[in-house]
Amino acid sequence: IQIKPNFFQSYSNLGNVLRSLGKLKEAESAYLKAIKIEPNCSNVYYNLGSILKDLGRLEEAKNYYIKSIKIDKNLIKSYYAMSTLSIEPVCNKLFDYIFSKKILLEVNTSQKIDIYFARANIFHKKKNYEDSSICLEKANKLKLDLNKSNLNQLIKKSKQCLLISETMNDVNREDLTSPLQIFIVGMPRCGSTLVESIISMNSNIIDLGELNIFEKIYLEWTKHPKDAPGINLSDLYYKKIVDLIGISSITTNKWLFNYQYAGIIASQISNAKIIHCFRNPLDNILSIYRAHFAHNNYYSSCLSDCAELYLDHENIMSEYKNKYRSNIYDLNYDLLVSKPDLEIPKLIHWLGLDWDDIYLSPHLNSRNVSTASNVQVRFPITSSSLGGWKNYRKMLTPAINILMTNKTIKDLIR
C-alpha cells in the first residue's frame, strides 16, 4: 500500500488478513477503501457483507451481497449467504437464478453444494420442508464426497481424554489468583452462542469466541516433564489468556469440543466453571445438518454420524458430571428459550455474578459473532425453533433409529 496507494488488491488482501485476526472493524475499513478504488470487484462486496453479518448489521450485509451478485451473477457463495438472511421480494427475484435448470451444469462441486444449501434455506423459510429435505440430502452427499466423516477420530479422542483425566490429581483450589474462566461446551448448534451472548452482556467479561486455546495449551503442557517445577496447566492457560486479550479478566471460552477435555479442565484449571449446553437431540442434529459448516465438522453431513456423536458426547459428559458435578452446569437450551426469565437468573447465580436485567436482552450485545448462529443471535430470544425436527421426520430417520437405542433420549423423540 505504501508503494502503490491505489492498488485495490492490497486493501482487499489486508481486509482478509484483518478478518482472520478477528479485527472486523479494521477489515471493514480496508474493504471500503478497496471498493473506492475499484467499485466493480464482486468478491470484495461479498467479503464486506460477511464482515457486516458478523457485526450484526444484517440489512447492510444483505445490500452488499446483492451488489456482489449484480456485478457477478455467478458468485454463488453470495446467494447462499443471502439465503441465511432474507427471502424478501427483492431477494426472490435474484434467487430465481439458482433455481434455474441449467445452473448446475455450469458450476463446480463446491458451488453445487452452496446452491443446494441456498435452495434448502429458501424452501425452509417458505415452510416447504419436503423440498428442503431433498436439497439438504443432495448438498450433504456432495460434501461427504469431498470430505469423509471424521466421526471415528472424534470418538477416539473423547475416549483418550477420558482415560487421561482419570489419572490426574485435582489442583489445589485454595489460593485462587486468576479470574473466573468460563468454558461453554457441547455439540455445535446447541445454543452456546446465545449463552455466550447472555454472559458477555456483563461489561467485565470478555468472550473469546470459538478459539481452540485450551487444547493448544494442554498439548504444550504435556511436553514438559511431569515433575518440572512451576509448570502448571492452570497458570499456562491464564497466561495465554492475558497475552491474548491484554488484561486480566473473566473470560468465556466457547470452543465446543472442549467437552472432550472437560475432565482435564475441571481437575486442572483452578478457577474454571463449565457450562454444558444441550437441546432436544433431533432439533440439534437437524440444525447441524442444515448448518453447512466450512470445515472440520465433516461428520455433520451424515445424519447417522451426527446421532452417534451426539450419544458419545452425552456419555462422555455424564462421566465427567459424575466426578465433577459442582464444576459443571447443565444448560437446557429448550428451557432457556422457553423460560428465559427463570433460566437466565439461575445461570448467572451459579456463575457467582451480580444480577442485572441486561442479561435478559442478549440480542443487544454488539460483540462480533462469526459462528453459524450469527443471524439468530441478533434477534430477541424465541422458542420458535423448538420441535422443528418434526417437519423433517422422514429425512431424520437414520438419526432417529440410532437415538432410539438410548433409553433416556427415546422419550424425547416419540
Side-chain angles (χ1 to χ4, degrees):
I1 288 171
Q2 290 177 348
I3 297 169
K4 296 180 69 175
N6 292 319
F7 186 42
F8 94 96
Q9 191 64 55
S10 291
Y11 285 105
S12 177
N13 291 341
L14 177 59
N16 295 340
V17 173
L18 290 167
R19 182 184 180 189
S20 69
L21 292 171
K23 300 180 179 181
L24 302 191
K25 290 284 189 181
E26 294 94 328
E28 177 188 2
S29 177
Y31 287 137
L32 287 172
K33 288 177 181 176
I35 289 172
K36 186 175 181 180
I37 297 169
E38 174 49 73
N40 292 310
C41 182
S42 59
N43 266 305
V44 179
Y45 285 101
Y46 167 80
N47 289 335
L48 182 53
S50 299
I51 288 286
L52 295 173
K53 187 179 175 187
D54 290 349
L55 289 170
R57 292 153 60 184
L58 304 184
E59 192 63 29
E60 292 177 74
K62 183 184 70 175
N63 290 335
Y64 279 109
Y65 289 139
I66 291 173
K67 287 181 180 179
S68 72
I69 292 170
K70 287 182 176 179
I71 294 170
D72 179 6
K73 73 172 185 177
N74 293 310
L75 193 65
I76 304 300
K77 57 188 177 182
S78 282
Y79 293 97
Y80 168 70
M82 203 161 61
S83 75
T84 66
L85 292 173
S86 173
I87 56 168
E88 297 171 5
V90 64
C91 300
N92 279 335
K93 189 173 181 180
L94 292 173
F95 285 140
D96 286 344
Y97 181 64
I98 61 167
F99 282 97
S100 63
K101 293 182 179 180
K102 68 174 184 177
I103 189 172
L104 293 172
L105 302 174
E106 301 172 348
V107 296
N108 60 36
T109 300
S110 293
Q111 290 172 315
K112 284 182 182 178
I113 292 170
D114 282 345
I115 288 170
Y116 281 127
F117 270 112
R119 289 179 179 182
N121 285 339
I122 295 164
F123 283 132
H124 179 83
K125 287 179 168 68
K126 293 182 176 181
K127 300 184 179 180
N128 183 346
Y129 304 115
E130 183 176 351
D131 284 336
S132 178
S133 296
I134 292 171
C135 291
L136 286 171
E137 289 175 329
K138 289 180 178 180
N140 282 296
K141 183 180 183 303
L142 288 172
K143 287 189 80 172
L144 278 178
D145 290 341
L146 291 180
N147 295 289
K148 301 302 180 185
S149 171
N150 57 342
L151 171 70
N152 292 334
Q153 299 97 301
L154 291 169
I155 290 179
K156 180 180 179 181
K157 184 177 174 181
S158 293
K159 291 178 179 178
Q160 289 174 338
C161 289
L162 177 61
L163 291 173
I164 292 170
S165 71
E166 291 174 345
T167 67
M168 291 182 162
N169 296 319
D170 292 358
V171 296
N172 187 346
R173 302 179 188 277
E174 293 181 1
D175 300 320
L176 298 179
T177 57
S178 65
L180 175 65
Q181 308 297 329
I182 303 169
F183 292 82
I184 304 172
V185 305
M187 291 286 286
R189 309 294 291 155
C190 64
S192 58
T193 300
L194 173 59
V195 172
E196 188 175 51
S197 288
I198 290 169
I199 297 171
S200 62
M201 290 301 288
N202 186 320
S203 59
N204 295 318
I205 296 177
I206 295 177
D207 67 281
L208 303 175
E210 292 191 350
L211 293 178
N212 190 7
I213 301 170
F214 177 80
E215 182 177 60
K216 293 177 181 178
I217 296 300
Y218 168 73
L219 293 175
E220 176 188 328
W221 178 66
T222 59
K223 295 176 183 177
H224 294 285
K226 291 185 178 180
D227 57 352
I231 302 299
N232 180 294
L233 180 57
S234 185
D235 290 342
L236 287 174
Y237 179 77
Y238 176 59
K239 182 179 183 300
K240 178 63 176 179
I241 296 300
V242 174
D243 290 345
L244 189 67
I245 64 178
I247 59 173
S248 175
S249 175
I250 300 174
T251 59
T252 57
N253 181 326
K254 199 180 78 68
W255 182 257
L256 294 174
F257 280 94
N258 276 332
Y259 79 76
Q260 298 174 314
Y261 291 99
I264 298 173
I265 292 170
S267 68
Q268 300 300 307
I269 305 299
S270 58
N271 206 5
K273 289 196 173 186
I274 301 169
I275 302 170
H276 175 217
C277 295
F278 59 93
R279 63 190 293 195
N280 178 289
L282 284 172
D283 277 338
N284 200 166
I285 290 168
L286 172 62
S287 190
I288 289 172
Y289 196 63
R290 294 186 61 226
H292 190 11
F293 296 111
H295 50 78
N296 293 334
N297 294 310
Y298 302 131
Y299 70 89
S300 66
S301 293
C302 176
L303 287 167
S304 58
D305 284 4
C306 287
E308 293 283 5
L309 188 64
Y310 187 96
L311 292 179
D312 179 71
H313 127 274
E314 278 288 309
N315 292 334
I316 289 293
M317 287 306 300
S318 293
E319 293 280 349
Y320 291 140
K321 288 172 186 177
N322 287 337
K323 187 172 182 180
Y324 300 105
R325 181 69 274 183
S326 63
N327 298 93
I328 303 175
Y329 185 86
D330 292 325
L331 196 291
N332 186 322
Y333 173 80
D334 296 12
L335 292 178
L336 176 65
V337 297
S338 299
K339 301 177 181 178
D341 291 352
L342 177 64
E343 295 300 320
I344 294 177
K346 287 165 59 176
L347 170 64
I348 299 304
H349 175 74
W350 182 81
L351 291 171
L353 303 172
D354 293 333
W355 176 252
D356 191 309
D357 287 344
I358 194 65
Y359 290 118
L360 298 173
S361 303
H363 61 288
L364 301 179
N365 199 323
S366 60
R367 72 192 186 97
N368 302 341
V369 179
S370 300
T371 70
S373 303
N374 57 2
V375 176
Q376 297 95 316
V377 78
R378 302 302 182 182
F379 295 93
I381 295 174
T382 175
S383 60
S384 60
S385 67
L386 300 187
W389 70 269
K390 296 174 184 176
N391 298 313
Y392 292 87
R393 184 186 290 270
K394 182 179 178 181
M395 183 190 76
L396 289 167
T397 297
I400 293 172
N401 291 339
I402 290 171
L403 294 175
M404 288 291 281
T405 63
N406 183 289
K407 292 181 180 179
T408 304
I409 292 176
K410 190 175 181 179
D411 292 336
L412 295 174
I413 59 180
R414 283 177 175 169

